[in-house]
Amino acid sequence: MRTLGRFFEAYARLIAHDHFMREHNMADLHNEVKQYPLREIRSHRPEICESVSRALNCACAFYPREALCLQRSVVLVKMLRKRGLPAKMIIGAQQLPFRAHAWVEVSGEVIDDRLVSRESFLVLEVC
């Protein structure tokens, strides 16, 4: 039952993100993520990160629009912080060829992102 609840939470947060971005800009999104509260801090729990990531991946598979890295990162950070994990969204860029990417880290560990390598991207922002 917990897995199904996380799936529906992730799906609802994907919808909420789309609605938020219709009315706001990137600066507003940055502030929202930076100020999103962290419940009582727990130690890093890989099983929670894995379970939440799996729920988000499933929700994205059923979502009618493609959820890109920024949207996925925002949703994942919020879901992990809700569970007391000190998740951070990282925004980085690569010069040649130019690419920008967003990903999530907990305690310095990249969560569910096979595209990112800290060596490949210059970190522009942590929130």
Side-chain angles (χ1 to χ4, degrees), residues 4-18:
L4 190 57
R6 287 182 178 164
F7 167 82
F8 285 118
E9 177 188 353
Y11 198 88
R13 287 184 183 274
L14 289 169
I15 293 169
H17 176 82
D18 278 344

Side-chain angles (χ1 to χ4, degrees), residues 16-82:
H17 176 82
D18 278 344
H19 286 294
F20 181 87
M21 291 309 293
R22 284 190 192 117
E23 305 276 326
H24 299 88
N25 59 29
M26 285 296 296
D28 295 335
L29 179 65
H30 177 268
N31 287 332
E32 182 191 19
V33 172
K34 202 156 188 97
Q35 295 172 4
Y36 195 82
L38 173 62
R39 283 202 174 163
E40 62 183 70
I41 298 177
R42 298 180 181 181
S43 60
H44 179 53
R45 306 260 315 268
E47 67 277 5
I48 292 175
C49 291
E50 185 178 321
S51 173
V52 170
S53 293
R54 195 170 36 248
L56 177 57
N57 289 337
C58 288
C60 287
F62 287 96
Y63 199 60
R65 298 178 51 174
E66 182 180 10
L68 299 176
C69 61
L70 183 64
Q71 184 175 15
R72 293 173 62 90
S73 295
V74 167
V75 170
L76 187 56
V77 162
K78 289 178 177 181
M79 290 180 72
L80 292 174
R81 286 183 184 172
K82 177 183 173 186

Side-chain angles (χ1 to χ4, degrees), residues 33 70 73-74 77 87-91 102-104 125-127:
V33 172
L70 183 64
S73 295
V74 167
V77 162
K88 295 180 181 178
M89 182 173 73
I90 316 294
I91 299 172
W103 66 94
V104 175
E125 183 63 40
V126 177
C127 45

Side-chain angles (χ1 to χ4, degrees), residues 86-113:
K88 295 180 181 178
M89 182 173 73
I90 316 294
I91 299 172
Q94 176 181 315
Q95 275 190 314
L96 293 174
F98 178 78
R99 286 186 346 175
H101 190 54
W103 66 94
V104 175
E105 293 183 2
V106 174
S107 302
E109 181 181 325
V110 175
I111 306 299
D112 191 34
D113 194 323

